[in-house]
Amino acid sequence: MKPTARFTVFFSLIAIAILGVHVMATGPGFSVAAQENKPLPLAKTNYVLGDEIDAYARFIMSGGPPPDGIPSIDKPRFVSAAESRLEAGEPVIGLYHDGEARAYPHRIMVQHEIVNDRIGGLNVAVTYCPLTATAQGFKRGGTTLGVSGQLLNSNLVMFDWSSRSYFSQINATGLTGPDRGRTLDEVRLVWTTWERWRTLHPDTRVLSEHTGYLRNYARDPYGSYNPLRGYYAQDQTIFPLTHESNRYGKKAMVLGARTATRSAFFVMADLAMARVQTTDNFLAVYDSGLDTGYIYVREGNKALPVAQDDGRYEYAGTLHSADALPLTQPVAVEAFHFAWHAFYPQSESP
Amino acid sequence: MNAPSATVKTVASPARTLLAILRMRTYRRLAASVSLFYLILFMVALQDISLGGTGFQVLTTDWSRAFDRTGTFTFEPIAQLTVPGVTMLLSPINFTIGAILSLLVGLNLMVTYIAFKQPRACGFNRSTGILASLPALLAGSACCAPVIILILGLQLSSLMVAAFQVLIPVSGMLLLLTLSLILKRTNPDLIVGFQETGFFAHFFRQRRVDDSD
């Protein structure tokens, strides 16, 4: 064989090898996603939406990874608080249900985004989107949720392995498939620090780094929350948004909630200072223990809660912790302001 | 008259020219250094090598996961080595793709350097030689672009995301193409040893073309 021919054959083989590997390695994708048809629990009433579902569906774009390219943790393992090596100021996502407390370290969640867990007899998907700083829990019944690799307003688009529907995380709503337009049954998660969570729940279990996947959990590819730097500190976004606002910093943390007809948000730094804030139809109170807040639906012109020195609130003649006022409490979500505004541009605010 | 001209096409095949160049230790070292540097850069950009991690640890997982995709052309690791401060993930397919691209980048920069320093041997002028290195730069962006986007916080369009997903194969093909084109126009008999004034002369010993080892 002539040298020229050898040269061509050699490099052609390399090209074919690259292509072959790519074709072989199609990843788990939807083709092998066939699981038992176990329905996903849905909310009785759908959340209000900022835009039509069709508009959302058209705005979905690839974030880069293929379906399940960011693998969810489906067999989570836990360690005790004493066994965990978390630092005091490290962010964690907390879940408390039926007497059990779980902490999901941010350092792990940023690499997997979804943990399909079971706590206190409840099957729940603990979800987190690094680009929008949103941690949200969803009842999952017998199915599991996965990361689609698609984004809507920079926000995580999840898929249900059983129905193959796409769900937007922030508005908890089906975007495609049989559950299109339906709202997931949401569970409140708390975005706080390990020190605060452990103080409130010393018996908490902590998600182990033995996730079944190999990752460098000591490093956050997006930046850092403690100290604040990288993507989390920049007043810029990476992906296009349906609605934009310059009223607050893009990465200012807000606490938002929505009902069937309305939505509202409160800037966390302002709420921490005021402790009680209101809009026309909502009120929010600050929880100094966990550095979070709770949102309630206001009832007419009733008197507002009054903050007490011990962190509790006096309302209707009795004292209550921040999370237990005798009012309707929609599930609240902490998020970057840009993300909340992109989904709920009509939101009420103080 | 059949006397060879400095600017006419070489009669040697690209493979023979490449082998002739690689027989010179100076150029071989240049290509190897660039390839190694790019491979490390590629693995850092893919976060297969990253800062962070405590203690010494070796972890492995199910090898069949090596074929699970984490991106269009990136794959799951099956082994992890942690030393204090640095974590390395071994994804066999990422490593193979990185090694092939690195080799091509190294060879491209090697022949580009020759084209720049010795345009006579390559049958075109210096600027053309430098232009030939552009695909190598594009190949560099194949691994680094998403990281740079994240660091700078630039806004991405769906078209750019789609483009990033094919950067690796496209840059691989371009590198093959330019390597082949430059080699076809290079006459190995006209390549002389390392020039004293060359940038890399500070790092490598001067050698002549016939000083093979």
Side-chain angles (χ1 to χ4, degrees), chain B residues 3-79:
Chain B
S5 162
T7 53
V8 297
K9 284 184 190 173
T10 174
V11 291
S13 71
R16 182 182 161 251
T17 307
L18 184 61
L19 288 174
I21 297 171
L22 286 174
R23 278 194 201 102
M24 289 176 259
R25 186 191 286 174
T26 302
Y27 296 128
R28 200 167 59 229
R29 281 181 178 176
L30 171 62
S33 306
V34 170
S35 295
L36 183 64
F37 177 76
Y38 183 84
L39 181 60
I40 293 170
L41 192 71
F42 185 85
M43 292 183 75
V44 168
L46 260 53
Q47 296 169 41
D48 283 358
I49 295 176
S50 55
L51 296 178
T54 52
F56 294 89
Q57 202 173 28
V58 178
L59 297 171
T60 56
T61 189
D62 182 6
W63 70 269
S64 64
R65 207 166 260 170
F67 294 100
D68 290 350
R69 286 194 300 155
T70 59
T72 311
F73 281 94
T74 56
F75 297 82
E76 279 286 342
I78 57 166

Side-chain angles (χ1 to χ4, degrees), chain A residues 151-203:
Chain A
L151 294 172
L152 174 58
N153 285 323
S154 282
N155 181 236
L156 165 65
V157 173
M158 312 172 290
F159 65 84
D160 168 15
W161 278 108
S162 65
S163 71
R164 303 182 185 184
S165 296
Y166 274 4
F167 285 89
S168 159
Q169 186 207 29
I170 287 185
N171 60 21
T173 298
L175 301 171
T176 64
D179 294 326
R180 184 175 175 276
R182 300 293 307 277
T183 298
L184 293 169
D185 201 352
E186 200 172 1
V187 176
R188 173 69 197 264
L189 301 180
V190 175
W191 169 260
T192 186
T193 62
W194 169 233
E195 185 177 34
R196 288 173 184 273
W197 185 257
R198 186 181 188 175
T199 301
L200 189 66
H201 299 291
D203 58 346

Side-chain angles (χ1 to χ4, degrees), chain B residues 115-157:
Chain B
F116 176 71
K117 295 299 292 183
Q118 303 178 45
R120 196 170 151 268
C122 295
F124 42 57
N125 61 36
R126 284 187 176 189
S127 53
T128 313
I130 293 170
L131 277 178
S133 67
L134 283 178
L137 295 174
L138 176 64
S141 73
C143 71
C144 299
V147 175
I148 291 168
I149 292 289
L150 198 60
I151 290 171
L152 299 180
L154 302 177
Q155 192 158 86
L156 280 176
S157 67

Side-chain angles (χ1 to χ4, degrees), chain A residues 219-272:
Chain A
R219 186 176 173 277
D220 179 347
Y222 299 92
S224 160
Y225 274 101
N226 188 21
L228 194 65
R229 62 170 182 254
Y231 171 80
Y232 308 126
Q234 295 163 346
D235 195 40
Q236 293 158 320
T237 55
I238 297 177
F239 295 95
L241 303 169
T242 48
H243 303 280
E244 295 190 60
S245 163
N246 293 319
R247 188 173 162 201
Y248 301 101
K250 286 189 169 57
K251 307 288 172 63
M253 287 298 286
V254 302
L255 182 73
R258 55 276 194 249
T259 63
T261 53
R262 296 184 179 90
S263 62
F265 78 87
F266 301 82
V267 177
M268 276 305 298
D270 296 346
L271 180 62

Side-chain angles (χ1 to χ4, degrees), chain A:
Chain A
M1 190 183 283
K2 286 182 178 178
T4 312
R6 278 205 301 270
F7 179 81
T8 309
V9 167
F10 174 70
F11 284 110
S12 299
L13 284 175
I14 289 176
I16 290 166
I18 294 173
L19 206 62
V21 162
H22 180 63
V23 171
M24 277 167 56
T26 50
F30 288 125
S31 58
V32 292
Q35 295 194 342
E36 292 174 59
N37 188 23
K38 297 170 179 173
L40 189 65
L42 298 168
K44 289 182 183 134
T45 53
N46 295 333
Y47 285 153
V48 65
L49 296 174
D51 290 287
E52 297 292 327
I53 291 289
D54 284 344
Y56 284 136
R58 282 196 302 271
F59 210 71
I60 294 174
M61 65 179 284
S62 170
D68 222 26
I70 297 173
S72 60
I73 300 172
D74 297 337
K75 293 177 182 171
R77 293 163 70 175
F78 293 86
V79 296
S80 67
E83 290 169 314
S84 81
R85 295 177 300 168
L86 299 179
E87 292 169 15
E90 201 172 322
V92 298
I93 293 159
L95 170 60
Y96 183 79
H97 177 76
D98 201 18
E100 286 187 43
R102 297 265 165 88
Y104 305 86
H106 174 258
R107 62 163 76 182
I108 300 176
M109 294 304 291
V110 78
Q111 303 269 9
H112 293 281
E113 303 193 4
I114 295 178
V115 179
N116 288 295
D117 200 1
R118 181 176 176 80
I119 177 171
L122 179 71
N123 283 352
V124 62
V126 174
T127 70
Y128 171 69
C129 176
L131 293 174
T132 52
T134 40
Q136 294 172 247
F138 302 104
K139 293 178 187 173
R140 63 180 179 87
T143 185
T144 55
L145 297 184
V147 180
S148 70
Q150 303 290 310
L151 294 172
L152 174 58
N153 285 323
S154 282
N155 181 236
L156 165 65
V157 173
M158 312 172 290
F159 65 84
D160 168 15
W161 278 108
S162 65
S163 71
R164 303 182 185 184
S165 296
Y166 274 4
F167 285 89
S168 159
Q169 186 207 29
I170 287 185
N171 60 21
T173 298
L175 301 171
T176 64
D179 294 326
R180 184 175 175 276
R182 300 293 307 277
T183 298
L184 293 169
D185 201 352
E186 200 172 1
V187 176
R188 173 69 197 264
L189 301 180
V190 175
W191 169 260
T192 186
T193 62
W194 169 233
E195 185 177 34
R196 288 173 184 273
W197 185 257
R198 186 181 188 175
T199 301
L200 189 66
H201 299 291
D203 58 346
T204 186
R205 303 286 289 169
V206 183
L207 180 65
S208 163
E209 291 185 6
H210 294 288
T211 58
Y213 295 89
L214 299 176
R215 295 289 186 278
N216 180 4
Y217 292 117
R219 186 176 173 277
D220 179 347
Y222 299 92
S224 160
Y225 274 101
N226 188 21
L228 194 65
R229 62 170 182 254
Y231 171 80
Y232 308 126
Q234 295 163 346
D235 195 40
Q236 293 158 320
T237 55
I238 297 177
F239 295 95
L241 303 169
T242 48
H243 303 280
E244 295 190 60
S245 163
N246 293 319
R247 188 173 162 201
Y248 301 101
K250 286 189 169 57
K251 307 288 172 63
M253 287 298 286
V254 302
L255 182 73
R258 55 276 194 249
T259 63
T261 53
R262 296 184 179 90
S263 62
F265 78 87
F266 301 82
V267 177
M268 276 305 298
D270 296 346
L271 180 62
M273 293 281 286
R275 292 193 61 189
V276 178
Q277 285 190 305
T278 61
T279 65
D280 289 345
N281 296 286
F282 296 89
L283 69 86
V285 294
Y286 178 67
D287 180 339
S288 55
L290 290 173
D291 184 29
T292 188
Y294 297 88
I295 295 176
Y296 297 90
V297 177
R298 286 180 74 175
E299 291 181 352
N301 291 321
K302 279 188 181 176
L304 296 174
V306 179
Q308 306 295 303
D309 291 341
D310 63 359
R312 292 188 293 175
Y313 293 85
E314 187 272 322
Y315 183 75
T318 50
L319 290 173
H320 306 275
S321 59
D323 63 341
L325 295 185
L327 291 167
T328 302
Q329 185 191 140
V331 173
V333 178
E334 286 192 50
F336 285 141
H337 173 250
F338 84 83
W340 189 264
H341 180 83
F343 279 97
Y344 299 107
Q346 305 91 348
S347 265
E348 300 174 14
S349 63

